[in-house]
Amino acid sequence: MAKINPCFRRIFVFFNVLFAIFGAVVLGLGLLVHLQLDEHESKLSAVVVLVVFGAVTFILAVLGAYGAQKENKNVLIAFFVFMCVGTIALLRMAIVMAISRPEVTSVMKQELNKAVPLDAASEDVKNAMDYIQKQVKCCGLFNGYQDWGNQVPESCDCGSDEADQCQKMTPRNTYLKIFEVRSRMVYSQPCGFMMLQYISLVFDVTLGVLFGFATLALLGGVMSLAMIICITAIPRPKCISSPPIFSVSPHPPKYSELIQSA
């Protein structure tokens, strides 16, 4: 039975050990977060995905390393099948996400526009917008402070040291313009565009991770297939015949030997 190249086997085992460590870390992190969020069931879906991903990565990595180290054909075949299934699943998810990305962005923009005017929105929306405006230093969704109507919150106010990010707020009502004591400066950057950019960044990172893991799964499948072929290959017998031997004697044969040979 043919043997796997030692250098090739060591490289395969090394990378599988790295992935096993990575899977164990992700699994431990997911379990730790699960214990911390034990009372918040609405947040457990992402934690479950994290735990399942870590566990599957760890098991497959250990399976591949064991099969390569022991040169076990059955284990390598199982690893190859899982890698093929994983590659197809990851590519399918990535392609669907890439195709639906413009539609998701458009739907998100429509949903954000439904919250305008913000002064008439629910308290949860107002609190969320207040937090975003303080952290990101923006105001409104897509039309700046005008999205708040006549009740622009203090979270839109910008300081004198942020003049390049500010604009003068002009009240809509005439009586407010007349009795306005001082000019109010608010952030000029709308929050909606920043939120859409953040969503696009999340899409880009997710697509990169999916395509990256799909490439690694495909590479692992190709390497395991090469080892399977190497293990199952039957060496060909060496059919090398010995060369003919001619004896050369300086003395001619005797007459009696010639008669006997004839």
Side-chain angles (χ1 to χ4, degrees):
M1 183 176 292
K3 297 293 183 179
I4 302 173
N5 185 285
C7 182
F8 183 78
R9 183 180 64 234
R10 289 170 186 168
I11 293 174
F12 185 80
V13 172
F14 174 75
F15 280 103
N16 275 278
V17 169
L18 289 182
F19 277 104
I21 295 173
F22 171 76
V25 172
V26 174
L27 177 61
L29 181 62
L31 293 176
L32 181 63
V33 175
H34 175 73
L35 295 176
Q36 296 296 327
L37 300 178
D38 187 41
E39 298 179 356
H40 304 279
E41 297 181 357
S42 60
K43 300 180 181 179
L44 291 181
S45 57
V47 178
V48 171
V49 173
L50 197 66
V51 171
V52 171
F53 176 78
V56 171
T57 303
F58 177 79
I59 293 173
L60 290 180
V62 171
L63 190 70
Y66 175 81
Q69 185 65 29
K70 299 297 183 180
E71 297 188 6
N72 191 313
K73 184 180 70 173
N74 295 329
V75 175
L76 287 175
I77 290 175
F79 180 82
F80 171 73
V81 172
F82 282 122
M83 288 297 101
C84 291
V85 173
T87 302
I88 295 173
L90 290 171
L91 287 177
R92 185 178 181 277
M93 291 172 59
I95 292 173
V96 171
M97 183 174 290
I99 293 175
S100 62
R101 176 178 176 176
E103 183 179 356
V104 172
T105 304
S106 177
V107 171
M108 286 295 299
K109 189 173 182 179
Q110 293 177 3
E111 292 297 325
L112 290 175
N113 281 323
K114 290 180 180 180
V116 178
L118 293 172
D119 56 348
S122 62
E123 290 298 326
D124 292 336
V125 174
K126 290 181 181 179
N127 294 333
M129 286 300 301
D130 275 337
Y131 178 79
I132 293 173
Q133 289 173 163
K134 290 178 181 178
Q135 298 298 322
V136 186
K137 296 182 179 181
C138 57
C139 184
L141 287 174
F142 299 103
N143 300 309
Y145 69 90
Q146 296 180 3
D147 289 336
W148 283 99
N150 294 322
Q151 298 179 5
V152 181
E154 295 181 356
S155 57
C156 283
D157 296 344
C158 61
S160 57
D161 56 338
E162 302 170 331
D164 56 335
Q165 304 179 26
C166 302
Q167 67 174 350
K168 183 179 179 181
M169 192 183 85
T170 304
R172 293 182 178 181
N173 296 336
T174 306
Y175 71 90
L176 290 177
K177 294 181 181 180
I178 295 174
F179 293 101
E180 185 179 20
V181 178
R182 62 180 179 85
S183 298
R184 184 178 176 183
M185 303 299 292
V186 295
Y187 291 112
S188 59
Q189 179 66 39
C191 300
F193 295 107
M194 292 185 176
M195 295 167 68
L196 292 178
Q197 290 177 0
Y198 177 77
I199 294 173
S200 298
L201 178 62
V202 172
F203 263 94
D204 292 338
V205 173
T206 306
L207 287 174
V209 170
L210 290 176
F211 279 115
F213 274 101
T215 303
L216 292 175
L218 179 61
L219 181 61
V222 171
M223 294 179 70
S224 61
L225 179 61
M227 286 187 288
I228 293 170
I229 294 174
C230 183
I231 292 174
T232 56
I234 301 176
R236 296 180 179 180
K238 297 181 179 180
C239 302
I240 302 177
S241 58
S242 58
I245 300 175
F246 298 95
S247 59
V248 179
S249 177
H251 304 287
K254 296 181 181 180
Y255 179 75
S256 59
E257 293 179 355
L258 291 174
I259 295 298
Q260 292 178 1
S261 62

